[in-house]
PDB file of all heavy atoms in Angstrom:
ATOM      1  N   VAL A 177      93.572  51.008 -18.544  1.00 98.00           N
ATOM      2  CA  VAL A 177      92.872  49.930 -17.836  1.00 98.00           C
ATOM      3  C   VAL A 177      93.331  49.743 -16.489  1.00 98.00           C
ATOM      4  O   VAL A 177      94.517  49.444 -16.220  1.00 98.00           O
ATOM      5  CB  VAL A 177      92.940  48.682 -18.579  1.00 98.00           C
ATOM      6  CG1 VAL A 177      92.173  47.470 -18.039  1.00 98.00           C
ATOM      7  CG2 VAL A 177      92.558  48.758 -20.175  1.00 98.00           C
ATOM      8  N   SER A 178      92.408  49.909 -15.593  1.00 98.00           N
ATOM      9  CA  SER A 178      92.735  49.698 -14.113  1.00 98.00           C
ATOM     10  C   SER A 178      92.148  48.160 -13.728  1.00 98.00           C
ATOM     11  O   SER A 178      91.120  47.814 -14.100  1.00 98.00           O
ATOM     12  CB  SER A 178      91.975  50.733 -13.282  1.00 98.00           C
ATOM     13  OG  SER A 178      92.040  50.421 -11.927  1.00 98.00           O
ATOM     14  N   VAL A 179      93.078  47.562 -12.973  1.00 98.00           N
ATOM     15  CA  VAL A 179      92.742  46.079 -12.598  1.00 98.00           C
ATOM     16  C   VAL A 179      92.540  46.084 -11.069  1.00 98.00           C
ATOM     17  O   VAL A 179      93.353  46.517 -10.367  1.00 98.00           O
ATOM     18  CB  VAL A 179      93.870  45.211 -13.217  1.00 98.00           C
ATOM     19  CG1 VAL A 179      93.470  43.673 -12.628  1.00 98.00           C
ATOM     20  CG2 VAL A 179      93.939  45.273 -14.541  1.00 98.00           C
ATOM     21  N   SER A 180      91.488  45.419 -10.611  1.00 98.00           N
ATOM     22  CA  SER A 180      91.243  45.307  -9.098  1.00 98.00           C
ATOM     23  C   SER A 180      90.821  43.793  -8.829  1.00 98.00           C
ATOM     24  O   SER A 180      90.470  43.166  -9.790  1.00 98.00           O
ATOM     25  CB  SER A 180      90.047  46.236  -8.702  1.00 98.00           C
ATOM     26  OG  SER A 180      90.326  47.500  -8.948  1.00 98.00           O
ATOM     27  N   VAL A 181      91.023  43.380  -7.638  1.00 98.00           N
ATOM     28  CA  VAL A 181      90.681  42.123  -7.221  1.00 98.00           C
ATOM     29  C   VAL A 181      89.976  42.159  -5.794  1.00 98.00           C
ATOM     30  O   VAL A 181      90.622  42.952  -4.992  1.00 98.00           O
ATOM     31  CB  VAL A 181      91.920  41.075  -7.257  1.00 98.00           C
ATOM     32  CG1 VAL A 181      92.963  41.659  -6.296  1.00 98.00           C
ATOM     33  CG2 VAL A 181      91.347  39.675  -6.962  1.00 98.00           C
ATOM     34  N   ILE A 182      88.904  41.385  -5.641  1.00 97.00           N
ATOM     35  CA  ILE A 182      88.384  41.324  -4.405  1.00 97.00           C
ATOM     36  C   ILE A 182      88.525  39.824  -3.856  1.00 97.00           C
ATOM     37  O   ILE A 182      88.522  38.923  -4.621  1.00 97.00           O
ATOM     38  CB  ILE A 182      87.017  41.790  -4.264  1.00 97.00           C
ATOM     39  CG1 ILE A 182      86.072  40.898  -5.154  1.00 97.00           C
ATOM     40  CG2 ILE A 182      86.845  43.194  -4.677  1.00 97.00           C
ATOM     41  CD1 ILE A 182      84.676  41.118  -5.073  1.00 97.00           C
ATOM     42  N   ASN A 183      88.609  39.665  -2.517  1.00 93.00           N
ATOM     43  CA  ASN A 183      88.702  38.255  -1.917  1.00 93.00           C
ATOM     44  C   ASN A 183      87.695  38.204  -0.863  1.00 93.00           C
ATOM     45  O   ASN A 183      88.103  38.019   0.371  1.00 93.00           O
ATOM     46  CB  ASN A 183      90.220  38.119  -1.395  1.00 93.00           C
ATOM     47  CG  ASN A 183      91.255  38.264  -2.438  1.00 93.00           C
ATOM     48  OD1 ASN A 183      91.487  39.387  -3.008  1.00 93.00           O
ATOM     49  ND2 ASN A 183      91.735  37.037  -2.761  1.00 93.00           N
ATOM     50  N   PRO A 184      86.461  38.118  -1.242  1.00 90.00           N
ATOM     51  CA  PRO A 184      85.440  37.921  -0.158  1.00 90.00           C
ATOM     52  C   PRO A 184      85.351  36.493   0.364  1.00 90.00           C
ATOM     53  O   PRO A 184      85.867  35.665  -0.164  1.00 90.00           O
ATOM     54  CB  PRO A 184      84.085  38.290  -0.961  1.00 90.00           C
ATOM     55  CG  PRO A 184      84.450  37.829  -2.325  1.00 90.00           C
ATOM     56  CD  PRO A 184      85.893  38.098  -2.571  1.00 90.00           C
ATOM     57  N   GLY A 185      84.716  36.407   1.609  1.00 79.00           N
ATOM     58  CA  GLY A 185      84.453  35.091   2.100  1.00 79.00           C
ATOM     59  C   GLY A 185      82.922  34.751   1.701  1.00 79.00           C
ATOM     60  O   GLY A 185      82.403  35.135   0.731  1.00 79.00           O
ATOM     61  N   ALA A 186      82.342  33.984   2.626  1.00 77.00           N
ATOM     62  CA  ALA A 186      80.945  33.425   2.288  1.00 77.00           C
ATOM     63  C   ALA A 186      80.025  34.583   2.345  1.00 77.00           C
ATOM     64  O   ALA A 186      80.212  35.564   3.108  1.00 77.00           O
ATOM     65  CB  ALA A 186      80.538  32.418   3.304  1.00 77.00           C
ATOM     66  N   MET A 187      79.063  34.550   1.495  1.00 78.00           N
ATOM     67  CA  MET A 187      77.944  35.511   1.414  1.00 78.00           C
ATOM     68  C   MET A 187      76.534  34.952   1.500  1.00 78.00           C
ATOM     69  O   MET A 187      76.412  33.734   1.099  1.00 78.00           O
ATOM     70  CB  MET A 187      78.203  36.263   0.054  1.00 78.00           C
ATOM     71  CG  MET A 187      79.132  37.368   0.109  1.00 78.00           C
ATOM     72  SD  MET A 187      79.582  38.048  -1.494  1.00 78.00           S
ATOM     73  CE  MET A 187      80.573  36.855  -2.319  1.00 78.00           C
ATOM     74  N   LYS A 188      75.679  35.809   1.921  1.00 66.00           N
ATOM     75  CA  LYS A 188      74.231  35.392   2.115  1.00 66.00           C
ATOM     76  C   LYS A 188      73.611  35.443   0.777  1.00 66.00           C
ATOM     77  O   LYS A 188      72.638  36.319   0.505  1.00 66.00           O
ATOM     78  CB  LYS A 188      73.586  36.501   3.001  1.00 66.00           C
ATOM     79  CG  LYS A 188      74.160  36.600   4.405  1.00 66.00           C
ATOM     80  CD  LYS A 188      73.486  37.669   5.253  1.00 66.00           C
ATOM     81  CE  LYS A 188      74.085  37.816   6.694  1.00 66.00           C
ATOM     82  NZ  LYS A 188      73.507  38.900   7.409  1.00 66.00           N
TER      83      LYS A 188
END
Side-chain angles (χ1 to χ4, degrees):
V177 183
S178 173
V179 182
S180 303
V181 61
I182 63 171
N183 298 71
M187 279 176 279
K188 301 176 182 178

